[in-house]
Amino acid sequence: MLNRLEGVKRDAFPSGHTAITLTVVYLAWRYEKRLFVVFLPVGLALIASTVYCRYHYVVDVIGGIALTLITVVLGEKYYGYRTDYTDH
């Protein structure tokens, strides 16, 4: 049903599924280690399933990883999150 509803099949670069999932996993690792343990395997399965189910090409996933890295690095520089604010 999802395939029939989707008009354009190849409009997925970079993979937003990958970028958002990795951002959430990163933030869980940084601020809530218990959630990280849960999110990591689920997130990796989600990313792998996007390729397996043919919603993304591998290059889309690589682009999503790059987008996450750029977003995290630039976001931390912009907001100055070089220290851990969970103690405040």
Side-chain angles (χ1 to χ4, degrees), residues 2-11:
L2 184 61
N3 284 332
R4 274 195 277 154
L5 292 174
E6 177 89 27
V8 178
K9 304 288 186 219
R10 288 168 183 81
D11 59 345

Side-chain angles (χ1 to χ4, degrees), residues 23-37 39 72 75-77 79-88:
T23 301
V24 169
V25 169
Y26 166 74
L27 291 171
W29 171 76
R30 182 145 185 194
Y31 296 108
E32 190 60 50
K33 302 288 194 230
R34 289 176 290 179
L35 282 178
F36 172 75
V37 173
F39 287 174
V72 167
E76 287 185 350
K77 283 186 179 190
Y79 289 107
Y81 290 156
R82 293 291 179 198
T83 59
D84 188 8
Y85 288 109
T86 59
D87 297 331
H88 297 276

